[in-house]
Amino acid sequence: MSDKGEYQRDLNYIPDRITADGRDGWPVEPGRYRLIVARACPWANRAVIVRRLLGLEPVLSMGIAGPVHDERSWSFDLDPDGRDPVLGIERLQEAFFKRDPEYPRGITVPAFVDVPSGQVVTNDFAQMTLDMSTEWTAYHREGAPELYPEKLRDEIDDVAQKVFTDVNNAVYQCGFARSQEAYEHSYTKLFSRLDWLSERLAGQRYLVGDTITEADVRLFTTLVRFDAVYHGHFKCNRQKLTELPVLWAYTRDLFQTPGFGDTIDFPQIKEHYYVVHKNVNPTGIVPLGPDLSGWPTPHHREELGGRPFGDGTPPGPPPESERVPAL
């Protein structure tokens, strides 16, 4: 917290990268690494979507932590015997301590874990998805989209930074604010950026270019959680997503695109925020709403043109073990 009661996210993550040339000591190898995520977490949701879109499931396994954690870390309470079946650990914390027994920071998802050693490689969520697009290309599925095309990277990076500062992180700054001044500053920043995004997306189907890119992935994971948690739980209540016509249609468009909506588990999302954040919701009561029936309805965004996967194709259905309950 700042002196003014503003929530300040710790952005110091383990900086190692898994690369094609293995320059950090972690070369891309099929079957060597495990992506650890939680369905509830928007930062982890990015990695789940990118892995799906690129078709990396056969070479990069995925472990799913439960939606509720304590001060120690995310735990694998969804798995038989409460242990990840590949790593054999009960808590993600164990992989961080394998890497550094004195690891001093938060135990966060997503994380890449080296299966042979059991050590976490990195939890740098922003770099992880970019590396899946640029360093794992030898293992992309046939027809995989270009989520981070070189000719658009400067614009993607610029839009993604605005989205991170004023949307992805701003909802947390609203929810965790410890002063009226800090809350109002974050609230104003958030809705000013949502208005900017509405204007940008009114005449184009996607954020950058005419296809889905990394920028869309990063915005989607916040917008899809907006009405379920951020509007009420985090006091982001000028309007619901469903009351912002352009952004509601845009998010429905992505939700109905293979690789996006099929990664979303609304019950786990709500359970995480309303149960874990005791300082915001001390009763731990999880709301029954909102009504989810609008998500499959027509969005008409295809009238703007655009090609979701560019010259590529949609991903196939997720593996049976990774499917989320239908709405």
Side-chain angles (χ1 to χ4, degrees):
M1 290 292 169
S2 73
D3 293 339
K4 295 183 178 180
E6 183 179 65
Y7 170 67
Q8 297 177 323
R9 182 176 298 277
D10 182 359
L11 293 175
N12 292 298
Y13 299 102
I14 299 173
D16 286 10
R17 294 171 59 190
I18 299 171
T19 58
D21 63 8
R23 56 185 174 274
D24 287 350
W26 308 104
V28 170
E29 293 179 15
R32 176 170 174 178
Y33 305 100
R34 188 159 175 82
L35 172 64
I36 302 300
V37 302
R39 294 287 190 196
C41 173
W43 318 102
N45 195 178
R46 297 176 176 188
V48 178
I49 291 170
V50 170
R51 174 176 171 270
R52 282 270 295 120
L53 296 179
L54 299 178
L56 291 173
E57 294 99 329
V59 297
L60 178 62
S61 68
M62 187 169 75
I64 305 174
V68 177
H69 63 73
D70 58 21
E71 68 281 356
R72 287 175 289 176
S73 83
W74 300 88
S75 59
F76 296 100
D77 50 339
L78 301 178
D79 290 307
D81 303 321
R83 290 184 179 274
D84 179 85
V86 172
L87 300 173
I89 58 177
E90 295 180 337
R91 295 176 177 276
L92 181 56
Q93 184 184 58
E94 296 173 53
F96 279 77
F97 287 169
K98 272 280 188 74
R99 172 72 182 264
D100 178 2
E102 304 297 326
Y103 185 74
R105 299 188 180 278
I107 310 298
T108 62
V109 290
F112 281 138
V113 177
D114 178 52
V115 174
S117 68
Q119 298 180 37
V120 67
V121 175
T122 182
N123 60 339
D124 187 350
F125 65 89
Q127 189 62 50
M128 288 169 66
T129 51
L130 298 182
D131 284 344
M132 281 195 271
S133 282
T134 59
E135 301 290 336
W136 289 75
T137 53
Y139 301 101
H140 289 180
R141 66 179 176 86
E142 184 178 354
E146 255 195 296
L147 299 177
Y148 197 49
E150 194 163 357
K151 65 181 180 180
L152 296 177
R153 286 180 190 176
D154 288 346
E155 187 176 2
I156 291 171
D157 291 345
D158 177 64
V159 171
Q161 184 58 46
K162 289 181 171 70
V163 167
F164 171 78
T165 302
D166 299 342
V167 181
N168 301 147
N169 198 45
V171 293
Y172 286 87
Q173 290 178 320
C174 288
F176 295 153
R178 288 294 172 267
S179 73
Q180 189 69 31
E181 178 186 7
Y183 164 70
E184 291 183 8
H185 172 74
S186 299
Y187 176 100
T188 301
K189 177 173 64 172
L190 167 65
F191 281 99
S192 293
R193 184 60 66 191
L194 291 180
D195 290 342
W196 180 86
L197 288 163
S198 289
E199 291 178 12
R200 184 181 182 94
L201 289 164
Q204 62 188 62
R205 191 171 178 184
Y206 303 110
L207 280 173
V208 181
D210 67 347
T211 65
I212 292 166
T213 67
E214 175 81 17
D216 297 294
V217 175
R218 295 187 180 199
L219 178 58
F220 171 81
T221 59
T222 295
L223 294 184
V224 77
R225 288 163 171 76
F226 202 88
D227 288 4
V229 289
Y230 302 141
H231 178 269
H233 184 59
F234 279 173
K235 307 180 183 70
C236 302
N237 63 353
R238 192 191 78 179
Q239 288 142 307
K240 297 177 181 177
L241 176 68
T242 53
E243 296 166 348
L244 297 167
V246 172
L247 292 180
W248 173 224
Y250 165 80
T251 311
R252 294 204 317 282
D253 185 6
L254 290 176
F255 185 88
Q256 295 170 31
T257 299
F260 283 84
D262 55 30
T263 71
I264 301 301
D265 189 315
F266 283 111
Q268 288 197 28
I269 288 169
K270 292 195 297 181
E271 184 178 0
H272 169 71
Y273 283 90
Y274 286 99
V275 173
V276 170
H277 299 158
K278 292 292 188 184
N279 57 333
V280 179
N281 185 44
T283 65
I285 294 173
V286 180
L288 294 177
D291 179 12
L292 302 177
S293 62
W295 284 103
T297 60
H299 50 76
H300 305 295
R301 294 283 294 177
E302 67 279 359
E303 296 172 9
L304 294 173
R307 302 169 301 146
F309 300 100
D311 295 329
T313 57
E320 182 66 34
S321 62
E322 297 179 8
R323 294 184 182 178
V324 298
L327 288 180

